């Protein structure tokens, strides 16, 4: 585990670690915070999507105050397969919202994306979109599709809520061609 903090974070430390380094107790605490932060609308499949990558979180005297993770996904675009960093499980405990903690967590996740992936992607709620826009994430204006058990399926409901971020020095895909995501149970995006 690595902790990052500095003058710009005013003494707040963001810890970064892979899922396997967290241990069952910390994973339980993160899951509980996300259940609360999402008002009970964070299910087992959402939790499963959050695991297997790199986590960034902030703890305070009351426990986990903020969390997010970035996992690897495959996306086909215009005949090419990309390895992308997909952001999951971003939440801030209710009593710590609007204090910059989400931005601190995202900063660490973006650092991971810059160092390991072609670009970043996420699906934002209406409430979360402002955070991502302020950090330079761009709404995807093209089609969103998934390779499902029955073949390629368009996801028009995800068009407008999907945001991308180029990795350091990179560019974003051309919206003239669809982003074709890998399949997973639950919400595909």
């Amino acid at each position: 585990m690595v902790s990052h903090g500095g003058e710009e974070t005013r003494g707040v430390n963001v810890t970064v670690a892979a899922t396997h380094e967290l241990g069952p107790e910390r994973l339980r605490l993160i899951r509980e915070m996300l259940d609360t932060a999402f008002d009970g609308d964070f299910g087992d499949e959402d939790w499963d999507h959050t695991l297997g990558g790199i986590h960034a979180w902030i703890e305070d005297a009351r426990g986990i105050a903020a969390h997010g993770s970035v996992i690897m996904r495959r996306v086909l675009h215009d005949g090419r397969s990309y390895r992308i960093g997909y952001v999951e499980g971003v939440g801030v405990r209710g009593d710590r919202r609007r204090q910059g903690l989400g931005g601190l967590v995202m900063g660490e996740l973006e650092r991971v994306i810059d160092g390991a992936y072609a670009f970043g992607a996420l699906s934002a709620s209406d409430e979360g979109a402002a955070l991502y826009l302020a950090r330079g994430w761009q709404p995807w204006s093209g089609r969103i599709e998934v390779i499902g058990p029955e073949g390629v399926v368009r996801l028009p409901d995800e068009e407008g809520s999907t945001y991308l971020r180029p990795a350091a020095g990179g560019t974003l895909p051309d919206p003239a061609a669809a982003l074709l995501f890998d399949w997973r149970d639950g919400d595909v995006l």
Side-chain angles (χ1 to χ4, degrees):
M1 283 189 248
V2 178
S3 289
H4 296 277
E7 190 174 327
E8 72 279 359
T9 62
R10 292 179 223 111
V12 174
N13 282 324
V14 181
T15 305
V16 178
T19 299
H20 75 276
E21 296 177 289
L22 298 177
E25 180 61 15
R26 182 164 283 116
L27 285 169
R28 183 185 67 76
L29 294 171
I30 291 169
R31 171 69 192 264
E32 286 177 359
M33 188 281 291
L34 290 171
D35 285 340
T36 302
F38 284 91
D39 296 323
D41 192 26
F42 190 83
D44 290 342
E45 289 166 337
D46 299 315
W47 177 241
D48 184 62
H49 297 168
T50 302
L51 302 175
I54 302 296
H55 300 257
W57 73 95
I58 297 168
E59 293 184 52
D60 64 13
R62 294 192 53 217
I64 305 296
H67 171 272
S69 68
V70 61
I71 62 160
M72 194 277 294
R73 292 195 68 182
R74 283 284 179 188
V75 172
L76 296 175
H77 178 268
D78 201 21
R80 181 171 173 208
S81 175
Y82 291 90
R83 197 168 58 85
I84 68 161
Y86 198 84
V87 174
E88 292 285 0
V90 176
V92 178
R93 201 176 62 221
D95 66 318
R96 296 298 307 267
R97 291 187 180 141
R98 307 288 180 250
Q99 298 175 20
L101 300 186
L104 293 173
V105 165
M106 284 302 299
E108 292 302 319
L109 300 180
E110 291 162 356
R111 188 176 62 79
V112 171
I113 290 167
D114 287 349
Y117 298 105
F119 58 92
L122 58 83
S123 181
S125 65
D126 292 340
E127 300 81 27
L131 169 66
Y132 308 119
L133 285 169
R135 299 191 60 77
W137 288 74
Q138 301 172 28
W140 173 252
S141 60
R143 290 184 330 276
I144 298 287
E145 299 173 343
V146 65
I147 302 171
E150 305 300 319
V152 175
V153 177
R154 185 171 181 184
L155 300 175
D157 292 345
E158 298 297 337
E159 296 168 3
S161 65
T162 300
Y163 291 75
L164 303 183
R165 178 184 185 276
T171 60
L172 291 177
D174 180 356
L179 288 179
L180 184 59
F181 283 84
D182 55 350
W183 177 258
R184 61 187 188 173
D185 291 332
D187 291 332
V188 178
L189 294 190

